[in-house]
Amino acid sequence: MKPAGERWFLLVLIAMAAFAGACTRAAETPAAPGALQTQVAATLTAAPTQPPSETSPPSETPAPSQTASAVPSTTPSQTGTPGPSPTPTGPVLDADDPRQGINLNAPDHRDDFSAAGGWFANYEDNTVALMLEDQRLRTTDKLADTLITWSTSGQTGGDFYLEITAEIGNCTGADAAGLATRVGNADYSRGYAFEVSCDGRFRLRKFISFNSIPAVLVDWTASDVIHKGPNTSNRLGFLARGGTLTVFANGESLATFNDPDYVWGNFAVFASAAQGETTVRWDDFALWRLE
């Protein structure tokens, strides 16, 4: 059952040196007084990446209800491999495509999720599962409520273009796959979040702070280029040049919005359950830096 009224909350747990990235469980509406003591969620912040064999499980972390305030996070390390060398041919872009001038054959960073350390993973509780398995990152939102959980990459950027493949499992309606950019604040509570739903819609929101209602930049909008239904994949894209933000699905531009407030931050992915438990598997992350 969703909480009564409009609620928003986000709580940070103590930093764990063995993990890379962060996961943020946050509500879409503000909290009533005292809500943090009775309705809590977890954020695991991270220190620089450790080898997979040295990663400890999250069971040692205090329960969310034992933490009542946010703590500063350390800076995630930037891991991964450089992109491939340019190839002779590539996608032919229309003259008005906002990606003109970007060599889509040669990203500056690629991540195929075959190695640990690039994203927060291997964490599970009664609300969320974030697992690196079968050379993909699995994000599962177990509760159909107003909460989302995102898993942060060690990569950061200001002006960039990125693409990532999202495969959603069993889903219906507004169950969605989400991609966040310019994620920041000490508690990872702000960023731009682009979501693609099971029924073929998308939206773009701006998460602001610990106790603020996210702003809807582009409300749920249907698009024929989004692949609908359960067990389908969509290639999501996000272009940021200064305050101009453009979101893509399967190589096609969906919407452009101007917002100059956030200029730098991490990248993150999440599953959002609106109807029932929702799982999204992520693969083939590619990043082009435009600075």
Side-chain angles (χ1 to χ4, degrees):
M1 178 181 297
K2 295 181 178 179
E6 293 189 327
R7 299 179 182 273
W8 159 266
F9 58 85
L10 171 67
L11 188 68
V12 176
L13 290 178
I14 298 173
M16 295 175 60
F19 290 98
C23 71
T24 299
R25 182 96 179 148
E28 300 175 0
T29 48
L36 287 178
Q37 283 70 45
T38 58
Q39 301 185 48
V40 293
T43 295
L44 296 178
T45 61
T49 305
Q50 302 294 324
S53 61
E54 297 178 12
T55 300
S56 58
S59 58
E60 298 279 330
T61 304
S65 59
Q66 296 174 309
T67 305
S69 61
V71 296
S73 63
T74 56
T75 303
S77 60
Q78 300 199 22
T79 61
T81 57
S85 300
T87 53
T89 60
V92 177
L93 301 179
D94 294 337
D96 59 351
D97 193 305
R99 297 171 297 176
Q100 281 286 349
I102 301 173
N103 185 348
L104 296 180
N105 292 302
D108 296 296
H109 172 84
R110 295 189 70 99
D111 191 345
D112 62 3
F113 298 94
S114 61
W119 299 74
F120 181 89
N122 301 323
Y123 176 80
E124 184 168 10
D125 61 22
N126 63 346
T127 66
V128 62
L130 304 169
M131 296 291 171
L132 189 64
E133 57 187 27
D134 300 325
Q135 298 190 16
R136 292 187 294 177
L137 175 62
R138 173 171 64 87
T139 59
T140 299
D141 188 1
K142 299 180 181 181
L143 302 179
D145 54 18
T146 61
L147 304 178
I148 62 170
T149 302
W150 56 43
S151 175
T152 315
S153 168
Q155 296 293 313
T156 59
D159 287 0
F160 60 84
Y161 176 62
L162 71 81
E163 292 183 352
I164 191 169
T165 298
E167 179 185 324
I168 197 166
N170 292 330
C171 65
T172 186
D175 295 337
L179 167 65
T181 69
R182 293 180 177 173
V183 174
N185 289 344
D187 55 7
Y188 295 89
S189 60
R190 61 98 164 141
Y192 298 110
F194 167 44
E195 297 160 89
V196 172
S197 69
C198 187
D199 58 7
R201 296 176 296 155
F202 72 94
R203 71 174 169 180
L204 178 62
R205 292 186 295 168
K206 175 184 176 182
F207 283 78
I208 300 166
S209 69
F210 183 87
N211 59 355
S212 300
I213 300 173
V216 177
L217 304 182
V218 180
D219 208 352
W220 285 118
T221 303
S223 173
D224 291 339
V225 306
I226 297 172
H227 301 154
K228 299 180 183 179
N231 306 308
T232 56
S233 293
N234 284 282
R235 184 73 172 166
L236 307 185
F238 201 116
L239 175 66
R241 292 184 187 271
T244 302
L245 314 173
T246 305
V247 292
F248 298 78
N250 304 310
E252 299 292 333
S253 173
L254 298 174
T256 296
F257 193 91
N258 291 312
D259 188 283
D261 288 351
Y262 308 152
V263 298
W264 189 272
N266 292 87
F267 307 103
V269 294
F270 60 92
S272 178
Q275 311 298 322
E277 180 174 308
T278 301
T279 292
V280 181
R281 290 177 170 84
W282 302 89
D283 203 359
D284 298 327
F285 175 79
L287 174 65
W288 292 259
R289 302 186 186 282
L290 307 181
E291 291 87 6

